[in-house]
Amino acid sequence: MDQSRDEYWMRHALRLARIAWEQGEVPIGAVLVQGDRAIGEGWNWPIGQHDPTAHAEIMALRLGGKVLENYRLLDTTLYVTLEPCVMCAGAMVHSRITRLVYGASDEKTGAAGSLIDVLSHPGMNHQVALASGVLADECAVMLSDFFRMRREQKKALRQAQRGTL
């Protein structure tokens, strides 16, 4: 697969992750591509939507299904800034996407090989081709910067609360 094409779409996913950040959500972005066009995109939104399934990947897959008017998302590639969790990997298998491209690995909950591998499990009725590490540093830095900012905010809040007691 063309590396410059993968990087192009991963940069798009990073822009979507920035939207999540601006909304106070964990900054993960995803874009579903068929041919040369984006047919679905999303960013993490579980807090704002009060929906534990509102992960970036799920949002992109839902939109792609509406665009194609089919729950089978054949001949598509999903680009996501972080290795998917079990829920999202399962949705990718069920939707029959062709390929997943992700940026940063998730050693704690990654279901594309880091913790477990849902996408190519021999018991699944569909396997998803995988490319990992595309713009991994940029994806990882965005996440670590976000969590550093959150820790600093919490620390400042605790200090302010102590000052008012």
Side-chain angles (χ1 to χ4, degrees):
M1 207 33 82
D2 182 13
Q3 183 178 353
S4 63
R5 181 173 193 246
D6 285 350
E7 289 180 4
Y8 172 85
W9 288 113
M10 189 60 71
R11 288 189 198 294
H12 185 82
L14 279 162
R15 287 190 294 274
L16 297 168
R18 178 61 61 181
I19 295 170
W21 179 318
E22 291 166 357
Q23 295 176 350
E25 304 274 0
V26 175
I28 300 169
V31 59
L32 183 66
V33 176
Q34 188 179 57
D36 286 328
R37 73 179 183 129
I39 60 168
E41 59 183 34
W43 53 87
N44 257 20
W45 211 0
I47 298 167
Q49 291 293 302
H50 311 290
D51 179 355
T53 69
H55 289 194
E57 302 95 320
I58 300 295
M59 304 303 275
L61 294 172
R62 285 177 183 161
L63 188 55
K66 288 180 178 165
V67 167
L68 296 179
E69 296 182 342
N70 196 332
Y71 73 100
R72 303 274 189 197
L73 305 174
L74 305 175
D75 302 317
T76 59
T77 298
L78 183 66
Y79 294 86
V80 62
T81 56
L82 182 67
E83 181 180 358
C85 69
V86 172
M87 173 185 69
C88 293
M92 290 172 207
V93 170
H94 287 294
S95 66
R96 307 294 196 273
I97 68 166
T98 304
R99 185 169 174 254
L100 166 69
V101 178
Y102 73 81
S105 294
D106 186 346
E107 299 300 323
K108 292 180 182 174
T109 63
S114 289
L115 177 66
I116 59 173
D117 189 357
V118 171
L119 301 178
S120 62
H121 189 283
M124 294 293 179
N125 59 353
H126 174 74
Q127 273 82 45
V128 176
L130 177 67
S132 60
V134 175
L135 302 181
D137 291 343
E138 291 175 51
C139 294
V141 164
M142 180 179 285
L143 285 159
S144 60
D145 286 352
F146 175 80
F147 285 115
R148 184 180 315 105
M149 179 205 67
R150 288 279 280 272
R151 287 189 300 274
E152 289 169 1
Q153 287 174 337
K154 287 181 181 179
K155 182 179 177 183
L157 181 60
R158 284 192 304 272
Q159 288 173 340
Q161 288 171 337
R162 271 183 262 167
T164 59
L165 294 178

